[in-house]
Amino acid sequence: MSHHCPNDVRYRYKSILCMLLKNVGKSLLASFLISTSLSSFNSACAQEQKLPLEGHVLEVGVSPVTPFVIINGKFTDLSGIDVDIIRELQRRTGFTLSHDRFHIMGLDELLELGQQGDLDICASAITFSPENAKNFMQSPATFRSNYVLVARPGSDIKSCENLQGRNFAAEDGTDLYDLMPKNIADQVNVIHEHTSFMLMYSVASGQADALITEKPLALNAINNWAKDKLQIIRDVKDSERTVGMLFKKGTYESQVLYETFEQMQMDGTIKNIVHKYLPNYEFPKDLMPCNIKLAKQQSDMIEPQDL
């Protein structure tokens, strides 16, 4: 015996089904429209959002010092630790270079123009000092090292005391009193050179008897072109120094550059760039990315009233 639903029951089911489908369709359409609107809004925001220094034109000066500022082939074809860091700062912040290039000059001119406020960034493996802190905003540290006495293999120079009356190679702008006791500095014959390469070549070729430079720079030369031509005689006592860049003091651009530099320290970018050119360099513990990040977090947690 078959059973048939009354027409009114079937009609009621059909009406309910149509209503459900209609409501589901509206919900799906609404979800689609909301999703599309949000996507369009986010896309528009992304297009409108600018990098912090987008539209800013910066004057960037560098002085050749291997492996921080290296001139390859063309005079404008630059590489090196400082150059790579500046280009990454540019990528992250959006600034453009004045005349689309780095200004290349000697160290003396670099510091002079920077002190006058004509340069936004000065880079050349520059040593941090109280004097530089007065005239510039010093960047976070790139690396820390000490000075070494360098001479030719077989040299009779064994310490700074043996430099009296000898030819000593020094880069333009170097204060000899920072490298050796005053009584010795006053008795050396200084041969001035414009770049760190010429500084070492002067000793390797016999024009000068010795030089004093940062240990990583000496090792870089000895492990490459100066093998069997130069040797490290000894470390210079109490000569540790911290190296970085100098930014123009008191500007919005410099503050952005400093904070971005800090981020590059913490995410390991600075470490990777340094090791690209100095693979054997051992970072001090306080300059390791994890420790910099920890120190930054602890600093941010300090309340103003605790300062």
Side-chain angles (χ1 to χ4, degrees):
M1 182 176 176
S2 59
H3 298 278
H4 299 279
C5 292
N7 288 335
D8 60 336
V9 174
R10 281 187 291 185
Y11 176 77
R12 191 180 307 151
Y13 284 153
K14 187 176 180 180
S15 298
I16 293 173
L17 180 61
C18 288
M19 185 175 64
L20 288 173
L21 290 173
K22 188 176 181 181
N23 289 335
V24 169
K26 286 183 178 179
S27 298
L28 290 174
L29 179 60
S31 298
F32 173 76
L33 290 175
I34 292 172
S35 176
T36 303
S37 298
L38 287 174
S39 177
S40 300
F41 177 76
N42 291 335
S43 177
C45 287
Q47 291 177 358
E48 292 178 4
Q49 186 178 7
K50 289 185 177 182
L51 295 172
L53 295 183
E54 190 172 337
H56 294 245
V57 179
L58 301 189
E59 303 285 351
V60 179
V62 298
S63 181
V65 50
T66 304
F68 288 84
V69 180
I70 307 168
I71 301 177
N72 300 321
K74 296 180 181 179
F75 199 66
T76 55
D77 185 13
L78 302 180
S79 62
I81 294 171
D82 282 354
V83 173
D84 285 9
I85 290 174
I86 292 171
R87 285 181 173 145
E88 181 62 15
L89 285 170
Q90 183 181 14
R91 187 187 72 80
R92 296 191 185 199
T93 63
F95 71 85
T96 58
L97 296 171
S98 174
H99 300 96
D100 197 31
R101 65 183 180 88
F102 294 90
H103 302 299
I104 304 171
M105 61 196 76
L107 183 60
D108 274 349
E109 185 181 6
L110 180 74
L111 295 177
E112 181 180 350
L113 290 177
Q115 188 170 338
Q116 291 172 185
D118 295 331
L119 297 174
D120 296 286
I121 302 176
C122 298
S124 181
I126 297 173
T127 302
F128 290 167
S129 68
E131 183 65 23
N132 283 335
K134 291 178 183 177
N135 301 312
F136 301 91
M137 172 187 281
Q138 297 182 143
S139 75
T142 303
F143 81 105
R144 187 179 300 117
S145 184
N146 63 286
Y147 285 117
V148 290
L149 177 63
V150 177
R152 292 185 298 280
S155 172
D156 61 348
I157 295 176
K158 304 302 178 186
S159 69
C160 289
E161 284 70 23
N162 302 136
L163 294 176
Q164 299 181 56
R166 310 297 286 270
N167 292 331
F168 182 81
E171 194 170 351
D172 291 341
T174 299
D175 186 345
L176 292 188
Y177 296 161
D178 291 337
L179 303 179
M180 62 188 75
K182 185 178 183 301
N183 65 307
I184 297 175
D186 290 339
Q187 297 184 54
V188 301
N189 304 315
V190 181
I191 297 178
H192 294 281
E193 300 291 354
H194 296 303
T195 67
S196 63
F197 171 79
M198 290 306 301
L199 182 75
M200 297 194 198
Y201 180 78
S202 180
V203 176
S205 64
Q207 299 174 48
D209 298 303
L211 64 91
I212 291 176
T213 190
E214 298 85 355
K215 192 170 188 176
L217 305 189
L219 289 172
N220 182 68
I222 292 170
N223 292 333
N224 291 283
W225 66 269
K227 188 176 182 179
D228 301 326
K229 296 182 178 68
L230 296 173
Q231 70 172 2
I232 293 176
I233 304 301
R234 64 183 302 170
D235 290 345
V236 176
K237 186 179 179 182
D238 299 325
S239 65
E240 184 177 79
R241 73 183 200 123
T242 300
V243 168
M245 298 180 189
L246 302 178
F247 301 145
K248 185 186 292 187
K249 197 161 189 175
T251 69
Y252 165 74
E253 291 85 354
S254 293
Q255 188 60 43
V256 171
L257 292 172
Y258 187 95
E259 292 173 359
T260 306
F261 201 119
E262 274 190 325
Q263 294 167 5
M264 290 165 59
Q265 278 186 317
M266 291 185 285
D267 66 24
T269 301
I270 299 297
K271 181 173 178 285
N272 291 338
I273 290 175
V274 171
H275 278 163
K276 174 182 174 182
Y277 295 93
L278 296 171
N280 297 320
Y281 175 70
E282 295 184 10
F283 273 81
K285 287 184 177 180
D286 64 309
L287 293 185
M288 291 294 288
C290 58
N291 292 328
I292 291 175
K293 188 173 183 178
L294 180 61
K296 174 68 173 173
Q297 291 172 342
Q298 292 175 340
S299 175
D300 290 343
M301 290 173 63
I302 298 176
E303 296 295 332
Q305 59 265 28
D306 295 334
L307 295 176

